[in-house]
Amino acid sequence: MKYKYILFDLDGTLTDSKEGITKSVQYALKKFGIEIKNLDTLEKFVGPPLKDSFIEFYNFNDDKVAEAVKYYRDYFKDTGIFENKVYDGIDDFLKKLKKLGFKLILATSKPQVFAERILKHFDLMKYFYDFAGSNLDGTRGKKSEVIRYALDKHGIKSEDAVMVGDRRYDIIGARENNIHSIGVTYGYGSVEELENEKPDCIVDSVEKLFKKITDK
């Protein structure tokens, strides 16, 4: 077995969370008088840390970011969180990996409390060895920090782990922690975005991801 631990991003890797995230952002922006009709224009919010996206795409200062995140969560915590669906094949994929002896760890920039609710809702919790996410107070918000937390918590050696994700933040976070990475293109990051960060490999389907992880 090449790896012992497989770290997974959540949004765009295990679940298609576009609807819930973009509607939550739309709700938050409306509080600032910013009307967004086409939710596709907010797809760029799927994956990156939420605070970073409000700063990058709307030039919000610290105070406005704090307000925006609060409004976002007002919608997300009970409604947007479940406007979401598991990608086809993921349930069986995770089941097979666990059966083969891999230890699966969720590593997401999403607040951990929300991530765990999502996994419970879709009955995916049973496949995971552990969960790592950001804190509601904004700490441990970067993907590199989430990955480091998971590695340190379990004393995982860098050569024993791989990070799987659909955005550049996943690849960068893996590199900053000296672990391998696999980019997936069925999520929300483009091939170009992933290639620019030079992951160890890129796959375009859950089936190919399974083969890459297991060497089968």
Side-chain angles (χ1 to χ4, degrees):
M1 189 186 301
K2 187 175 182 181
Y3 306 109
K4 295 179 182 177
Y5 299 87
I6 317 298
L7 279 62
F8 285 101
D9 174 48
L10 180 59
D11 299 321
T13 301
L14 301 180
T15 69
D16 183 352
S17 51
K18 175 184 172 180
E19 180 182 358
I21 290 174
T22 55
K23 284 185 176 179
S24 299
V25 174
Q26 180 189 50
Y27 177 87
L29 291 174
K30 190 173 182 179
K31 296 290 187 180
F32 296 92
I34 302 170
E35 295 276 353
I36 303 295
K37 301 295 185 185
N38 182 1
L39 290 175
D40 288 343
T41 64
L42 299 177
E43 188 178 295
K44 56 199 173 189
F45 276 82
V46 183
L50 187 60
K51 291 171 65 175
D52 293 355
S53 293
F54 279 120
I55 293 169
E56 180 179 354
F57 304 127
Y58 288 92
N59 201 32
F60 280 11
N61 60 28
D62 288 345
D63 289 340
K64 288 183 77 172
V65 165
E67 272 193 275
V69 169
K70 177 187 176 297
Y71 292 136
Y72 174 97
R73 289 177 179 166
D74 284 345
Y75 182 91
F76 186 81
K77 63 185 175 65
D78 294 316
T79 304
I81 190 170
F82 301 126
E83 292 174 325
N84 195 357
K85 60 185 178 182
V86 179
Y87 282 118
D88 290 344
I90 286 293
D91 189 283
D92 189 53
F93 164 72
L94 296 176
K95 183 189 300 182
K96 288 192 292 186
L97 287 180
K98 184 177 181 182
K99 190 174 181 179
L100 286 170
F102 292 96
K103 293 188 184 304
L104 313 182
I105 298 176
L106 190 73
T108 175
S109 298
K110 186 183 291 299
Q112 186 166 320
V113 292
F114 292 155
E116 290 191 36
R117 283 181 66 196
I118 291 167
L119 293 184
K120 286 178 182 176
H121 178 74
F122 291 117
D123 197 26
L124 298 178
M125 285 276 283
K126 59 193 175 188
Y127 302 127
F128 285 86
Y129 176 68
D130 203 0
F131 319 90
S134 64
N135 296 313
L136 286 172
D137 65 3
T139 57
R140 205 163 70 220
K142 295 187 179 300
K143 185 54 69 80
S144 59
E145 295 171 334
V146 174
I147 293 172
R148 173 47 50 195
Y149 170 79
L151 297 178
D152 287 349
K153 181 178 179 181
H154 298 288
I156 300 170
K157 297 177 182 178
S158 58
E159 64 267 24
D160 290 336
V162 63
M163 178 71 211
V164 179
D166 70 311
R167 300 298 306 270
R168 62 188 176 94
Y169 308 92
D170 302 303
I171 312 307
I172 293 169
R175 184 169 63 246
E176 290 180 348
N177 284 284
N178 197 33
I179 67 172
H180 287 176
S181 60
I182 301 174
V184 299
T185 60
Y186 57 78
Y188 288 95
S190 66
V191 173
E192 181 182 16
E193 175 184 334
L194 293 169
E195 285 181 341
N196 284 343
E197 299 304 333
K198 298 179 171 56
D200 291 278
C201 68
I202 297 175
V203 297
D204 61 9
S205 70
V206 176
E207 294 75 20
K208 289 179 182 176
L209 178 59
F210 179 78
K211 291 178 180 178
K212 184 58 66 174
I213 291 171
T214 62
D215 288 328
K216 292 185 178 295

